[in-house]
């Protein structure tokens, strides 16, 4: 964290975080405007008002796809005819390689997520909510559970939230591994106690999600913004980007890899990658040069040093044929062989496939093995073409969910930018193939 | 209706289907794996990709999975698109990455959907050069072999087994590239419908173990359109023969009956046909011994017995059989005369079947077809353990329960093929199915409520339900509050439904259960409901037997015992399964017996002359199933082709010859069709039997229909061990089928009546998926109409309903006397299938079931041996405690080979108690 | 790269062998049962507690013994095959015995870039085991795991419930000392 004292006006998500990252308890949180937004919601706002605020604020999903949260919520059936049970689910599965933002929010300001979830649940009139937390986040689980207990005791959760006539219960559900649980429909299956295979859309979860009931799934960071939007208003949120982007708010950006000061910071949406890497991340470690970078997790396309001045927002990065994803940069230095890097990525994706659809289940292990062969110098002619075919046929729309298309993004961009390194993996003699 | 555009051509389709379904129905070939017409779409395999365009001007398009895309009006797609083709070839390539390529030794080879799709997509050469992952296989019991390495992870097996058939013990394990389908641990697959895995699995993971033991390729088998002999449901089957043995039974699609699925009794219970100990030559008694004789000799001796009796002024009685065809029974009747023709059921069962027939024929409510049952939106199963007496019905009832999810999904505009979304939305919601039975049943898991009691009390519950629906139905006095409330609940649920289904049958042994079921159906009918009725009757041709109006077996036995009749001709029947041992002994002691059967049993052993009959595999016949549907089965193979000396002949033929000889008359039936025609002539109620299938003169383009696939091989060598001269193929004068691969085999729409399709095969489609090509719409009705003719239809003017009475008195336990209730077993209770080794392996050992409190009062516990006195004899049986059994009743697994005849409902005693 | 997923092909053999070497048969402890029953109430459908139930049993035994599968199924009212389907899907559920301490080394991209290979080799050398194996004394099992969400501290690993960052291969002796 930067040493500068942050303010809620400019750094809503992180200004309350203590220098030692210890979680704020209820008292400390309330002392910093905590639960003011919730009290305001219950007292002054109708559910539709909250949704409208979030829509007006143009809060786009921070889980990777950037879908507007308010639009998502507005698809939930409301009113007397709507199903009695509706659910709000927080996607806290954070398992995208290179991503470490949600952990920070949950470990350090758990109440912020709890408060925001209560408000979001109110907006869709859900009666129950779950935080689907990856099993490895032990500290986050403890801190969230403590926060929930405190909130319950304070009347923020329970049958009568803030003494009103709407009730909401919130549970932490911890997972048992598997990246695919982060895919929102797989997450729903996992939450139901099933194998985490994704579900086909339509029907969308807002219509038929958890136990067939209307369900909204949002990322930790997305949800954490909600209380602030309610408290400070949509136009304030719009202005947080300091004019750097069409997208609103701040964003938790970060950088990892061999840089001087790896970390995660709340910055205006649209901050350039160069600022993130060079100003906040301190630049590459001495003796290393930037070779390429993943803008927001393993499932985004590589970009080159020449792209560093792009604003990190959904549309700008998309125009450069990549995706902002989670917004946490992974930088690859010039000492790395790109084939090894991609081999590592594809190993991950092959292992984490849910095993439901053919291209992903059987295509990814093959991809991984081809890369292993190329890495060893035991590639064969045709291997690159085979890889290219994978990138086409494991792409969007061809597999059941976005896992395999995500897996293809770094591969296709690596093949585009560094083809020579792949070609170098093709064996020059039969003995190398056998090796 | 919707117009879709496929590769520039316009087609009119039912817009409610998905594109894959629509294209297949149009006859267009789109490869697929995970989709199945009965299981719907889940989009897992990605094999069915096609290119979809936004409109006529879109040239770009994008790949979509046709199974997951609606065929709505104005859809533009291309199957031939280059990218779509390449992608589909890639899918097969991926599926083949770990596939062992063991087609030469794989039992699926030659009728493998994976092979078909591989060829269809054009994937021909292998690029993957790395290690394949391997799995260990499991022992899944005597029916199914397991070879997991062949798996392509289409998830069809679990979707069929778990979601469709409700089997809990097959699952999917592991993740990513290491997904495993099997049981949590080795062991017999529990579902009674496990055999369908063999056809549902598109490759060789699950194969028919009974066939694996005596294996040959599909193309090397000779098939005939056939009807299962296992129970009264009458599922359509396709038995395959090689070297004079049945090698396998496959499902034969009938859009009104079994569609894609059989039960395991029907599929694996064919072994009685192949038994070595079967009588294959006629036998005659010489010096007290039965010895093999020539056909003519046997006939002459039998004719002499008849002539002698008639000369002596004695009667000759004929006892028919509910497991023999209408034609065989009718031939017997023709021989002995209508007044001496007796029904082959036990006296009690005859009355029950007659009552069932009366209800279905004279009442206002139609019998349900098996397929029709599935569209009911509520059901009440009264007193019948259908899983064990009419197994395939249990699978249909599961679909009734599942229908609720489809309905709920429809409210959210989710199409009925969106399988995963439907079950996600449906969760635990089911259409109400109520089960009232004497003991726990295998469909209790789908029941909205279960009720267990003695049959009398079940009948009372049924009468109460009827009365709660229509107050003019007879009332039930003295019902306890809980039962009365249950009756009201059931009545309310049935009334709330659009299409309620009432299921009962003869299994409880109590007529009042049948009449109670009829009253419920009639009450619902009176309230304007589209109610249908299912009455399970005991055997494959029970209803046919009843339609032939034979006399009561006990009367025949009495006449024999008294000496009024001195000759008994018993057709395909073991009388010891039909009446008390003493009663049969007395009848046979003073009479001479001419037995006609294809199995050895206690009755046959007492014969003077034993005529070796054909099984369903060696002869033709018509049976009437519980729906009242007359269905024809055809001879699969000619036993004489392999054994010129065989004495196996069709029963009707034996009886026709015998009649000619005994009456010194000319033979008046030259062919099978003549018998069928005579049946119709004699019984107006049986008009339709002739039309059940085309006759022998039927030709397609001048050709008979081939029983053998075009690639049938080895015919020139198959008799080489007998003679190097290849004889002419056997000729079939009786039917429109030929014992040959020569003949018609076409699949053009409307080409062949469904009753004449011996096996499914179409160019490019070798697997059972080729049934697609024999349906007017995939998964719908057979082209040209489903096989069989319904003989019963609700009485046209049955508007004035006469409810049945009386309501029986409540059952009360009586000290020292125990009321027998029958415990049926899918594996074991049926005489013929129990003679198949794999079925016998699954059959329970005989037992005596008691309520634990009753057992305690007798001083016995689980497994204790108890001497049970039945009809004068004592059987020692281990005790099985069943908490659900009503006190004062005793459950006996009647029908098991070790069990003597016991009339259900009779009272028995226990002699002596031994503790094991 | 060895697979973190236990190969089902080996599963039956492995667990049978394990069962033979595990003297005490599986029993569901009363408080574990109570904990599972408590979990069930958090959901519309008890099935949802299946993963938590497996984790509760695993907390007790270190892994999920075969007999627990059917027991959990009975408790939740779902088929054992469903429980096994779940147990074998999720990588944090162990269907064969593991050591007293489980070391999970992150092998995802950021840790890969910051020294995963060296860390893994150091562990292998120190413990004499490869990924997926358990030391002969039953003290440690070494497994790979995917991104632990602490990429700024790579290389990262977890030992039991503790996350450790900035792992230097020459400091692992010290680290392991804390896990007896
Ligand atoms: C394979 C895969 C993994 C995903 N993992 C996560 C994750 O760990 N956390 C997350 O918030 N979203 C993840 N997502 C995105 C979610 O599916 C979903 O878009 C997100 O939870 C929606 O929340 P948002 O709109 O607030 O971003 C993943 C998507 C895919 C395809
Ligand atoms: S792309 Fe297919 S196999 Fe891969 S995770 Fe998604 S559904 Fe599962
Ligand atoms: S048949 Fe369409 S995806 Fe499998």
């Amino acid at each position: 964290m930067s040493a500068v004292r942050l303010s809620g006006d400019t750094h809503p998500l992180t200004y309350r975080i203590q220098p030692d990252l210890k979680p704020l308890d209820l008292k400390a949180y309330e002392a910093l405007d905590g639960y003011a937004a919730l009290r305001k919601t219950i007292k002054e706002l109708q559910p539709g008002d909250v949704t409208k605020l979030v829509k007006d604020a143009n809060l786009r999903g921070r889980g990777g796809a950037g879908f507007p949260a308010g639009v998502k919520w507005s698809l939930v059936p409301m009113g007397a005819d709507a199903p009695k049970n509706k659910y709000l689910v927080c996607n806290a599965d954070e398992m995208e390689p290179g991503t470490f933002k949600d952990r920070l929010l949950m470990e350090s300001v758990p109440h912020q997520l709890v408060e925001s979830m209560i408000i979001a649940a109110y907006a869709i009139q859900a009666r129950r909510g779950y935080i689907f937390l990856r099993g490895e986040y032990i500290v986050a689980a403890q801190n969230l559970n403590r926060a929930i207990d405190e909130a319950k005791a304070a009347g923020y959760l329970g049958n009568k939230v803030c003494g009103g006539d709407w009730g909401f219960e919130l549970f932490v559900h911890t997972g048992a591994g598997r990246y695919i649980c982060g895919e929102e429909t797989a997450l729903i299956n996992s939450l139901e106690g099933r194998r985490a295979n994704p579900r086909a859309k339509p029907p969308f979860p807002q219509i038929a999600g958890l136990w067939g009931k209307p369900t909204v799934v949002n990322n930790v960071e997305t949800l954490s913004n909600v209380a602030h939007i309610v408290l400070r208003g949509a136009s304030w949120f719009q202005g947080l980007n300091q004019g750097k982007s069409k997208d609103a708010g701040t964003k938790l950006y970060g950088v990892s890899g061999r840089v001087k000061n790896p970390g995660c910071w709340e910055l205006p949406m649209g901050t350039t990658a160069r600022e993130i890497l060079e100003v906040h991340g301190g630049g590459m470690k001495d003796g290393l040069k930037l070779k390429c970078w993943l803008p927001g997790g393993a499932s985004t396309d590589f970009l080159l040093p020449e792209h560093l001045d792009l604003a990190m927002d959904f549309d700008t990065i998309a125009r450069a044929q990549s995706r902002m994803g989670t917004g946490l940069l992974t930088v690859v230095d010039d000492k790395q062989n790109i084939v090894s890097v991609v081999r590592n990525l594809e190993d991950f994706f092959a292992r984490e496939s849910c095993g439901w659809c053919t291209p992903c289940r059987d295509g990814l292990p093959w991809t991984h093995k081809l890369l292993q062969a190329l890495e060893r110098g035991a590639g064969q002619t045709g291997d690159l073409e085979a890889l290219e075919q994978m990138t086409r046929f494991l792409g969007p729309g061809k597999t059941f969910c976005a896992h395999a298309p995500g897996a293809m993004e770094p591969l296709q961009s690596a093949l585009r930018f560094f083809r020579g390194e792949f070609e170098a993996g093709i064996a020059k003699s039969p003995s190398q193939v056998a090796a | 209706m919707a117009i879709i555009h496929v590769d520039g051509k316009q087609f009119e389709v039912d817009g409610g289907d998905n594109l894959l379904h629509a294209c297949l129905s149009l006859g267009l070939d789109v490869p697929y794996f995970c989709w199945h017409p009965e299981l719907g779409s889940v989009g897992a395999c990605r094999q069915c990709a096609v290119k979809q365009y936004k409109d006529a001007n879109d040239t770009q398009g994008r790949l979509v999975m046709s199974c997951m895309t609606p065929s709505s009006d104005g859809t533009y797609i291309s199957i031939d698109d280059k990218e779509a083709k390449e992608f589909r070839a890639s899918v097969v390539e991926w599926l083949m990455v770990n596939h062992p390529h063991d087609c030469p030794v794989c039992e699926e080879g030659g009728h493998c959907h994976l092979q078909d799709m591989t060829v269809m997509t054009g994937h021909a050469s292998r690029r993957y050069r790395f290690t394949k992952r391997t799995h260990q296989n499991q022992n899944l019991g005597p029916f199914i072999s397991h070879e997991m390495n062949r798996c392509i992870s289409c998830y069809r097996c679990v979707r069929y087994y778990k979601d469709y058939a409700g089997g809990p013990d097959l699952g999917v394990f592991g993740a990513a590239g290491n997904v495993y389908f099997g049981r949590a641990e080795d062991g017999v697959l529990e579902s009674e419908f496990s055999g369908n895995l063999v056809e549902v699995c598109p490759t060789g993971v699950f194969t028919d173990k009974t066939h694996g033991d005596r294996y040959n390729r599909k193309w090397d088998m000779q098939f005939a359109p056939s009807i299962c002999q296992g129970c009264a449901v009458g599922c359509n089957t396709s038995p395959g023969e090689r070297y004079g043995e049945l090698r396998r039974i496959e499902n034969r699609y009938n859009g009104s009956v079994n569609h894609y699925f059989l039960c395991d009794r029907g599929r694996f219970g064919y072994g009685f046909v192949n038994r070595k100990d079967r009588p294959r030559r006629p036998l005659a008694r010489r010096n007290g011994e039965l010895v093999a004789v020539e056909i003519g000799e046997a006939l002459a001796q039998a004719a002499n017995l008849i002539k002698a009796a008639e000369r002596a002024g004695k009667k000759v009685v004929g006892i028919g059989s509910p497991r023999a065809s209408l034609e065989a029974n009718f031939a017997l009747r023709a021989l002995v005369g209508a007044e001496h023709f007796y029904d082959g059921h036990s006296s009690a069962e005859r009355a029950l079947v007659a009552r069932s027939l009366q209800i279905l024929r004279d009442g206002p409510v139609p019998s349900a077809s098996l397929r029709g049952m599935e569209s009911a939106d509520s059901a009440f199963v009264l007193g019948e353990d259908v899983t064990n007496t009419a197994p395939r019905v249990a699978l249909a009832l599961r679909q009734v329960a599942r229908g609720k999810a489809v309905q709920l999904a429809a409210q959210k505009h989710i199409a009925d093929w969106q399988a995963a979304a439907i079950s996600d939305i449906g969760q635990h919601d089911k259409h109400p199915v109520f089960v009232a039975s004497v003991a726990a049943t295998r469909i209790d898991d789908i029941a909205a409520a279960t009720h267990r009691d003695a049959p009398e009390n079940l009948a009372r519950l049924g009468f109460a339900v009827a009365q709660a629906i229509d107050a003019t139905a007879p009332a039930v006095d003295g019902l306890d509050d809980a039962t009365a409330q249950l009756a009201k609940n059931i009545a309310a649920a049935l009334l709330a439904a659009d299409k309620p289904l009432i299921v009962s049958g003869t299994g409880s042994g109590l007529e009042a259960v049948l009449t109670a079921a009829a009253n419920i159906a009639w009450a619902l009918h009176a309230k304007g409901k589209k109610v249908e009725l299912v009455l399970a009757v005991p055997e494959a041709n029970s209803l046919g037997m009843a339609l032939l109006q034979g006399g009561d077996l006990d009367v025949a036995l009495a006449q024999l015992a008294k000496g009024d009749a001195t000759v008994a001709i018993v057709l395909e029947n073991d009388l010891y399964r039909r009446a008390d041992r003493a009663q049969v002994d007395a009848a046979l002691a003073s009479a001479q017996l001419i037995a006609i059967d294809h199995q050895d049993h206690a009755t046959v052993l007492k014969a003077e002359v034993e005529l070796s009959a054909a099984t369903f595999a060696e002869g033709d016949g018509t049976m009437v199933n519980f729906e009242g549907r007359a269905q024809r089965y055809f001879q699969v193979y000619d036993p004489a082709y392999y054994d010129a000396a065989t004495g196996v002949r069709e029963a009707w033929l034996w009886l026709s010859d015998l009649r000619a000889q005994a009456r010194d008359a000319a033979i008046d039936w030259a062919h099978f069709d003549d018998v069928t025609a005579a049946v119709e002539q004699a019984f107006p109620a049986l008009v339709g039997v002739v039309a059940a299938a085309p006759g022998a003169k039927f030709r397609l383009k001048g050709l008979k229909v081939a029983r053998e696939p075009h690639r049938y091989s080895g015919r020139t060598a198959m008799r080489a061990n007998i003679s190097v001269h290849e004889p002419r193929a056997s000729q079939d004068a009786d039917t429109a089928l030929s014992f040959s691969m020569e003949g018609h085999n076409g699949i053009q729409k409307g080409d062949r009546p469904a009753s004449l399709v011996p096996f499914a095969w179409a160019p490019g489609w070798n697997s059972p998926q080729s049934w697609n090509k024999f349906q007017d719409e995939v998964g719908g009705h057979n082209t040209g109409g489903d096989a069989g003719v319904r003989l019963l239809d609700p009485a046209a003017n049955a508007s004035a309903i006469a409810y049945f009475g009386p309501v029986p008195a409540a059952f009360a336990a009586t000290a020292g006397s125990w009321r027998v209730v029958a415990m049926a077993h899918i594996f074991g209770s049926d005489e013929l299938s129990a003679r198949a080794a794999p079925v016998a392996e699954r059959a329970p050992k005989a037992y005596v079931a008691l309520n634990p409190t009753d057992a305690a009062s007798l001083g016995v516990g689980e497994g204790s041996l108890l001497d049970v006195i039945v009809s004068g004899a004592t059987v020692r049986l281990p005790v099985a405690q069943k908490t659900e059994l009503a006190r004062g009743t005793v459950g006996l697994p009647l029908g098991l080979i070790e069990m003597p005849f016991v009339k259900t409902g009779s009272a028995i005693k226990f002699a002596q108690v031994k503790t094991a | 790269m060895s697979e973190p997923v236990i190969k089902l092909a080996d599963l039956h053999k492995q667990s049978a062998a394990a069962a033979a070497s595990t003297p005490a048969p599986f029993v569901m402890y009363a408080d574990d049962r109570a904990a599972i029953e408590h979990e069930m109430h958090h959901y519309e459908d008890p099935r949802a507690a299946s993963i938590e139930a497996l984790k509760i049993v695993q907390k007790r035994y270190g892994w999920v013994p075969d007999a627990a599968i059917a027991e959990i199924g009975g408790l939740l009212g779902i088929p054992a095959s469903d429980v096994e389907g779940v147990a074998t899907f999720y990588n944090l559920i162990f269907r064969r015995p593991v050591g007293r301490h489980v070391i999970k080394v992150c092998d995802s991209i950021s840790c890969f870039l910051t020294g995963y290979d060296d860390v893994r080799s150091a562990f292998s050398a120190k413990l004499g085991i490869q990924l997926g194996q358990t030391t002969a004394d039953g003290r440690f099992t070494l497994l790979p795991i995917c991104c632990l969400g602490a990429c700024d501290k790579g290389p990262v690993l977890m030992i039991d419930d503790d996350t450790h960052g900035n792992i230097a291969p020459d400091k692992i002796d010290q680290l392991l000392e804390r896990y007896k």
Side-chain angles (χ1 to χ4, degrees), chain B residues 134 136 162 168 172-174 184 428, chain C residues 8-9 12 45 79 81-82 85 88:
Chain B
T134 51
Q136 237 169 25
K162 218 168 213 155
V172 47
F173 313 122
H428 295 293
Chain C
L8 234 117
H12 300 279
D45 186 336
S81 62
D82 283 4
T88 53

Side-chain angles (χ1 to χ4, degrees), chain B residues 102-354:
Chain B
D102 60 343
C103 308
V105 296
C106 175
E107 297 93 321
E108 194 78 359
H111 70 146
C112 174
H113 186 59
L114 177 60
Q115 283 179 336
D116 289 352
M117 297 300 102
T118 305
V119 173
M120 191 178 286
T121 57
H123 166 66
S125 74
R126 181 173 181 77
R127 289 188 296 171
Y128 181 81
R129 62 178 187 277
F130 308 102
T131 327
K132 297 177 187 177
R133 64 111 176 76
T134 51
H135 292 295
Q136 237 169 25
N137 301 319
Q138 293 182 320
N139 183 349
L140 301 176
F143 296 157
I144 311 267
S145 299
H146 191 224
E147 177 46 86
M148 253 310 289
N149 290 325
R150 298 177 185 144
C151 179
I152 57 163
S153 305
C154 69
Y155 290 76
R156 260 190 183 186
C157 56
V158 274
R159 291 177 53 224
Y160 161 73
Y161 192 92
K162 218 168 213 155
D163 303 349
Y164 186 91
D169 60 326
L170 185 85
V172 47
F173 313 122
N178 186 30
V179 181
Y180 188 95
F181 299 85
R183 283 175 44 95
E185 50 196 12
D186 278 41
V188 176
L189 282 170
E190 284 168 24
S191 167
E192 291 81 4
F193 308 96
S194 68
N196 297 314
L197 287 174
V198 167
E199 292 183 41
V200 163
C201 172
T203 174
V205 177
F206 299 99
T207 52
D208 182 338
K209 201 180 255 183
T210 70
H211 182 216
D213 292 344
R214 313 275 292 140
Y215 183 73
N216 55 273
R217 296 290 183 210
K218 176 179 181 176
W219 67 70
D220 281 344
M221 272 189 283
Q222 175 160 260
F223 300 92
S226 195
I227 302 300
C228 180
Q229 312 281 306
C231 79
V233 176
C235 294
N236 291 208
T237 60
S238 182
E241 170 268 355
R242 181 82 179 172
Y243 298 126
E245 277 183 347
L246 277 197
R247 290 286 172 90
R248 161 169 103 202
I249 299 260
E250 268 192 296
N251 183 70
R252 191 163 63 92
Y253 189 88
N254 183 319
S256 295
V257 189
N258 45 300
H259 55 88
Y260 290 97
F261 305 126
L262 298 174
C263 83
D264 287 358
R265 177 195 277 179
R267 189 183 292 271
F268 302 115
Y270 62 86
F272 67 92
V273 173
N274 298 337
R275 279 183 81 103
K276 291 274 173 295
D277 60 4
R278 245 187 80 180
R280 287 174 206 271
R281 306 283 304 275
L283 305 173
R285 205 165 286 279
R286 300 272 191 276
N287 306 323
E289 294 278 309
L290 278 171
V291 296
V293 295
E294 292 304 315
I295 290 171
E297 229 180 312
L299 278 171
Q301 185 160 344
N304 285 339
L305 289 174
I306 295 169
K307 283 179 174 170
E310 285 175 347
R311 272 199 303 273
K314 297 293 185 184
K315 293 178 195 157
V316 174
V317 296
I319 299 172
S321 169
R323 65 164 161 90
S325 67
L326 278 177
E327 288 81 0
N329 276 298
F330 184 77
L332 174 61
R333 182 180 178 274
L335 169 59
V336 296
E339 68 279 22
H340 303 308
F341 174 65
Y342 291 90
D343 189 296
H345 291 104
S346 72
S347 176
E349 274 186 344
R350 172 177 171 271
L352 292 167
V353 176

Side-chain angles (χ1 to χ4, degrees), chain C residues 129-167:
Chain C
I129 52 173
Q130 297 301 313
L131 290 171
Q133 296 179 340
T134 300
T135 53
D137 61 0
R139 186 169 158 208
F140 290 110
T141 296
L142 189 63
L143 295 176
I145 195 153
C146 61
C147 180
L148 286 169
C151 318
D152 50 342
K153 302 181 191 67
V156 184
L157 55 79
M158 279 183 92
I159 303 182
D160 302 338
D161 281 354
D162 312 326
T163 305
H164 302 277
N166 300 314
I167 302 299

Side-chain angles (χ1 to χ4, degrees), chain B residues 576-870:
Chain B
Y576 289 98
R577 294 175 68 87
R578 310 288 182 184
D580 280 350
R581 170 161 289 280
Q583 201 185 347
V584 179
D585 280 347
L588 298 186
S590 41
Q592 288 167 317
L593 173 66
I594 301 167
I596 307 171
D597 209 340
H598 46 76
Q599 302 293 317
D600 260 341
H601 46 67
T603 304
V604 163
L605 291 178
K606 300 216 159 167
E608 284 302 305
V609 182
E610 182 189 337
L611 303 177
S612 42
T615 63
F616 74 97
E618 297 131 339
D620 312 309
T622 311
M623 297 207 158
V624 184
N625 79 350
F626 67 167
E627 176 197 352
R629 178 181 291 266
Q631 302 192 101
R632 185 103 74 245
Y633 60 86
F634 292 91
Q635 186 175 359
V636 182
Y637 64 100
D638 172 19
Y641 188 72
Y642 301 96
D643 174 12
T646 187
V648 171
R649 305 173 85 216
E650 290 170 78
W652 72 264
L653 197 58
W654 277 119
L655 288 160
S656 165
D657 285 351
L658 189 53
R659 180 156 57 90
Q661 286 215 17
R663 305 277 174 266
D664 293 320
I667 292 171
D668 51 0
W669 294 333
H671 295 299
F672 173 79
D673 285 348
D674 300 333
V675 196
T676 313
V679 171
E680 272 199 359
Q681 213 155 37
F683 291 96
L686 283 160
V687 170
V689 164
V690 169
K697 295 208 179 67
F698 182 86
R699 293 291 182 276
L700 282 159
K701 300 185 178 131
L703 295 173
K704 292 189 114 189
V705 174
R707 280 183 173 90
E708 295 165 0
H710 279 159
R711 278 189 275 152
Y712 195 85
S713 59
R715 193 168 79 191
T716 50
M718 59 200 300
R719 282 178 88 262
N721 60 329
I722 303 167
S723 159
V724 293
H725 298 290
E726 187 202 348
R728 185 173 178 226
S730 303
Q731 299 299 300
D732 186 351
D734 282 338
T735 78
L737 298 159
S738 67
F739 292 109
S740 167
M741 62 188 133
E742 290 83 20
H744 187 85
N745 226 333
I747 53 133
Q748 300 305 307
K749 288 230 182 238
D751 236 8
R752 252 188 302 180
S755 52
L756 283 186
V757 180
F759 55 88
W761 207 320
W765 298 81
N766 301 284
S767 81
Q769 307 290 322
S770 48
W771 285 112
N772 287 353
K773 301 288 182 185
F774 296 82
Q775 300 159 345
D776 54 7
E777 181 206 348
V778 171
H781 296 290
N782 296 63
T783 326
D786 299 328
V789 170
R790 268 177 73 101
L791 302 179
L792 307 177
D793 264 306
N797 299 317
S799 48
I801 292 170
Y803 283 113
F804 285 104
V807 178
F811 171 77
T814 326
S817 165
W818 301 87
R819 187 206 192 284
V820 173
V821 294
M823 313 296 291
H825 292 280
I826 178 173
F827 307 123
S829 301
D830 165 61
E831 182 187 2
L832 295 181
S833 59
R835 290 166 180 260
V839 168
E841 193 180 328
R842 293 287 306 277
K845 295 266 167 294
Y847 59 87
V848 50
L850 287 169
N851 179 293
T853 317
D854 284 348
S857 76
L858 289 165
V860 293
E862 187 75 20
S864 306
L865 295 175
L866 193 55
D867 283 353
V868 180
I869 306 175
V870 281

Side-chain angles (χ1 to χ4, degrees), chain B residues 20 32-35 43-48 65 67:
Chain B
L20 173 62
Y32 62 90
F33 287 109
C34 63
W35 180 80
C45 73
R46 320 306 280 179
Q47 184 63 72
C48 65
M65 298 309 127
C67 75

Side-chain angles (χ1 to χ4, degrees), chain C residues 83-164:
Chain C
V83 180
E84 182 72 320
V86 165
T88 53
F89 185 92
Y90 296 100
N91 57 300
L92 295 182
I93 304 296
F94 305 134
R95 278 296 278 115
R96 49 178 167 169
V98 290
R100 283 199 302 287
H101 304 289
V102 178
I103 306 169
K104 291 166 278 195
V105 191
C106 172
D107 66 354
S108 291
I109 186 66
S110 299
C111 291
F112 173 78
L113 293 169
T114 50
Y116 157 77
D117 272 334
D118 296 341
V119 172
R120 190 214 50 215
S121 321
F123 274 109
S124 283
K126 159 86 181 155
L127 300 174
I129 52 173
Q130 297 301 313
L131 290 171
Q133 296 179 340
T134 300
T135 53
D137 61 0
R139 186 169 158 208
F140 290 110
T141 296
L142 189 63
L143 295 176
I145 195 153
C146 61
C147 180
L148 286 169
C151 318
D152 50 342
K153 302 181 191 67
V156 184
L157 55 79
M158 279 183 92
I159 303 182
D160 302 338
D161 281 354
D162 312 326
T163 305
H164 302 277

